Amino acid sequence: MSTTVPTSMRALMLVERVQSFAQANLAACFEVQNVPVPVPQPHEVLVKVAASPINPSNFSQLQGYYGNFGNMPLPQVTGVEGSGVVVAAGSDAHSSLVGKRVGTIVDPAGMWAEYVAVPAVSLIELPANATFEDGASCFINPLTAVAFVEIAIARKVKTIIHTAGASALGKMLVRHAKEFGVNVIAVVRRQEHVDTLCAEGADYIVNTSDDDWQKQLQKLATELEATIGFDAVAGATSGAILSAMPPKSELFVYGALSGEAASGVSALDLIFQGKSLNGFWIEQYLANRGAGVAEMTAKVANGLLTTFKTNVRVSYPLEEAAAALLDYAGNMSNDKVIFKP
């Protein structure tokens, strides 16, 4: 490892499981600790972190509900994607990466820190005109949007239904789907979300604050043959969306923003309409995609400042973790909140 890299660093650690992001003692769940700088293994590089976003999945992670996070002991490292500069390589084979400005992802966590060791294959080199803020969110949301369109194309489906339609991912999906001639019916909660998506060029939007939103969705889904849906909300929304979809439709639940289990699914829809409800996890999709992930990341790299652009609203230091999480929880559709370690 280069002698210019320190031996210790600041890292945001989860010291107590979060019960609610509105709890009075939220700040007590986190602690910035001095920990050793990770030493990159032969297949890894060391990245000095510049920016790392808060994503909805981070909330589940901090509560212990995401993947294997509930089984991991506390204190626990946090954060899964971000951007920065490669400052060291674990082997000469990756020495050419040193000095590169990159976006990256770490498994299972550790990005909310000053340094992180990541596989050399888990990098997207940032374009010369891209900032670290531009590159902070170049994995989870963009690759999820690419995956949704890939699934639609593979099933020869021309229209996707997507809940949390005005989220950063929702905006990307509208833009990316258009490039492949795939429609998106965006399901949102408020009129301001409708206005935001109209500005993004969305053609089909359903606002759940309208009394007849399910009838609107059913009409659109039937006319546009929307037989695939992706639901980030869960709870009763899952059942309502699936009920509005045509026969032989498939709804993928990939999030639980409602904090509830998927519910309200009609047994009659499953039995007599041939509908189905499944889960979707981007990590598993990428694992199954294998070598094809390189094709996906190339799409993201080429569209990082256009199709897959993410706007950053505000940044926080690691020491203000509770304030940052509360800020993001207050309006997840209003651009990104990031940490700058």
Side-chain angles (χ1 to χ4, degrees):
M1 183 183 290
S2 170
T3 56
T4 60
V5 177
T7 57
S8 65
M9 66 177 186
R10 293 159 49 254
L12 181 62
M13 308 294 288
L14 178 70
V15 295
E16 181 180 328
R17 293 269 177 230
V18 176
Q19 301 302 313
S20 165
F21 289 91
Q23 65 190 68
N25 67 334
L26 181 61
C29 297
F30 302 95
E31 190 175 286
V32 177
Q33 298 181 358
N34 283 317
V35 300
V37 172
V39 177
Q41 299 302 302
H43 68 291
E44 294 179 327
V45 296
L46 185 70
V47 174
K48 184 176 183 179
V49 181
S52 180
I54 300 173
N55 294 317
S57 58
N58 294 132
F59 286 8
S60 298
Q61 292 163 4
L62 299 174
Q63 292 174 303
Y65 300 142
Y66 193 90
N68 293 320
F69 279 84
N71 298 323
M72 292 172 60
L74 298 175
Q76 191 178 103
V77 292
T78 52
V80 296
E81 71 173 336
S83 60
V85 178
V86 177
V87 294
S91 71
D92 290 341
H94 302 303
S95 60
S96 63
L97 295 172
V98 175
K100 300 288 188 183
R101 301 165 62 254
V102 298
T104 189
I105 190 167
V106 61
D107 183 19
M111 196 66 67
W112 293 346
E114 292 182 300
Y115 294 88
V116 63
V118 298
V121 296
S122 299
L123 302 176
I124 293 178
E125 186 173 349
L126 301 184
N129 57 341
T131 66
F132 287 122
E133 287 85 354
D134 292 327
S137 300
C138 64
F139 269 86
I140 295 176
N141 282 344
L143 289 179
T144 300
V146 172
F148 288 175
V149 174
E150 285 186 346
I151 291 170
I153 292 172
R155 287 165 168 75
K156 298 181 179 178
V157 172
K158 286 294 186 180
T159 304
I160 294 170
I161 295 175
H162 182 232
T163 67
S167 63
L169 169 56
K171 296 167 190 172
M172 286 181 192
L173 181 60
V174 167
R175 297 191 290 260
H176 183 55
K178 274 182 178 289
E179 296 173 346
F180 289 85
V182 176
N183 299 312
V184 175
I185 302 174
V187 180
V188 301
R189 293 179 298 143
R190 298 197 292 268
Q191 182 58 44
E192 65 189 82
H193 295 161
V194 175
D195 298 338
T196 296
L197 283 176
C198 285
E200 292 289 344
D203 297 313
Y204 307 103
I205 309 169
V206 173
N207 185 351
T208 60
S209 64
D210 294 341
D211 292 338
D212 65 341
W213 74 268
Q214 286 176 268
K215 289 183 178 179
Q216 293 179 36
L217 180 59
Q218 185 175 31
K219 184 175 184 293
L220 279 174
T222 300
E223 292 175 351
L224 298 173
E225 299 180 350
T227 54
I228 285 183
F230 297 94
D231 177 26
V233 180
T237 298
S238 298
I241 298 294
L242 189 60
S243 291
M245 296 174 73
K248 298 182 180 179
S249 290
E250 187 173 16
L251 181 66
F252 294 90
V253 177
Y254 74 98
L257 293 175
S258 65
E260 302 172 356
S263 62
V265 175
S266 166
L268 299 182
D269 278 348
L270 302 180
I271 298 168
F272 300 112
Q273 296 288 321
K275 299 181 185 182
S276 61
L277 182 71
N278 293 302
F280 176 89
W281 187 21
I282 185 60
E283 184 173 318
Q284 188 61 58
Y285 183 87
L286 296 177
N288 293 338
R289 195 72 165 76
V293 172
E295 177 188 351
M296 298 173 71
T297 56
K299 289 179 181 178
V300 174
N302 291 334
L304 189 61
L305 299 179
T306 53
T307 302
F308 302 107
K309 182 172 178 58
T310 301
N311 295 320
V312 173
R313 177 168 57 83
V314 65
S315 65
Y316 286 84
L318 298 177
E319 287 79 5
E320 296 181 21
L325 290 162
L326 283 170
D327 188 347
Y328 182 61
N331 194 343
M332 294 186 189
S333 296
N334 188 20
D335 298 332
K336 279 295 182 185
V337 173
I338 64 171
F339 286 113
K340 287 191 173 180

